[in-house]
Amino acid sequence: MIKDLFSLMYPPTCELCNEGLARGEYQICTLCNFKLPKFTNCKESFSYLPLLVGAHLYSFVFSYIKYYKKGIGQKLLQRIKYGNKPDLACSIGFRLGVEFIPPESCFDLVIPVPLHRKKLRKRGYNQSDYFAMGISRATGIPWSPQIVSRTRNNPSQTNRSRIERIQNVEGIFQIKRKGTVISKRVLLVDDVITTGATLFACSEALEQSGAQVIGVASIALAK
């Protein structure tokens, strides 16, 4: 009763256009959902594979939307990253899992790329954790945010060249629970993939501890 009254006084609005949501809509209205530059299937996002640093490591690439600067996809990422919207990140992860990743997939673990503790404290949460949680809920594949840690608070990758991005993330990840990843087939997830340098660095750390990193997933992928 109280919840219904609150909804009447403060109806939920779309995260992207702030218009009121219709019955059956959740977080993103139908029009904005239609405008999102979504990948049509796993095969299409996989076509971006040759552009990623260390792409030879991966057998699968899953991504929900194509990233364009100043586009609606960038607005979605900014809402998730800086707008305190962990539930939105989880929802996008769930959608990706339902639409692209089959229940009988070959992954043993879903592992999010971690934030450094200083950045985590400042932001309040790691959007990749909740994105990974959504994938796990959709597929039934276990996820864990405690396996990998970021040992250095490296500067942002924004506006850096491909080589600078690789150098910026070299050796910044550490595996805290090595026994849990030996021979495991891992799906490694991040919020947005540009050159793939961060994923490559994290993949190397996992592989050195015995994991098989065979797939990567993201909310957005830039071409």
Side-chain angles (χ1 to χ4, degrees), residues 26-27 86-96 130 134:
Y26 178 66
Q27 294 183 318
D87 54 334
L88 183 56
C90 187
S91 175
I92 296 297
F94 187 86
R95 294 183 192 194
L96 178 76
Y130 288 89

Side-chain angles (χ1 to χ4, degrees), residues 130-145:
Y130 288 89
F131 178 56
M133 182 194 299
I135 292 173
S136 177
R137 287 178 178 176
T139 61
I141 305 166
W143 74 287
S144 177

Side-chain angles (χ1 to χ4, degrees), residues 49-59 162 166 195-197 199-201 203-204 207 213 216:
L49 188 65
L51 303 173
L52 303 183
V53 170
H56 63 281
L57 289 172
Y58 312 123
S59 301
R162 190 179 182 87
I166 296 170
T195 63
L199 287 168
F200 180 61
S203 297
E204 278 197 318
E207 290 196 327
V213 182
V216 294

Side-chain angles (χ1 to χ4, degrees), residues 16 24-29 32-34 36 38 64 76 87-101 131 134-135 137-138:
L16 298 176
E25 293 178 336
Y26 178 66
Q27 294 183 318
I28 300 174
C29 72
C32 286
N33 186 59
F34 177 77
L36 281 172
K38 291 186 286 186
Y64 194 63
L76 173 64
D87 54 334
L88 183 56
C90 187
S91 175
I92 296 297
F94 187 86
R95 294 183 192 194
L96 178 76
V98 168
E99 295 176 26
F100 287 176
I101 307 175
F131 178 56
I135 292 173
R137 287 178 178 176

Side-chain angles (χ1 to χ4, degrees), residues 12-16 18 21 26-28 75-93 123-131 219:
T13 57
C14 174
E15 296 287 356
L16 298 176
N18 294 320
L21 292 175
Y26 178 66
Q27 294 183 318
I28 300 174
K75 187 173 184 178
L76 173 64
L77 277 171
Q78 288 174 339
R79 288 291 288 161
I80 290 172
K81 202 168 183 176
Y82 305 113
N84 191 26
K85 297 290 180 181
D87 54 334
L88 183 56
C90 187
S91 175
I92 296 297
R123 191 172 297 166
Y125 72 101
N126 179 7
Q127 64 276 6
S128 295
D129 286 350
Y130 288 89
F131 178 56
I219 297 171

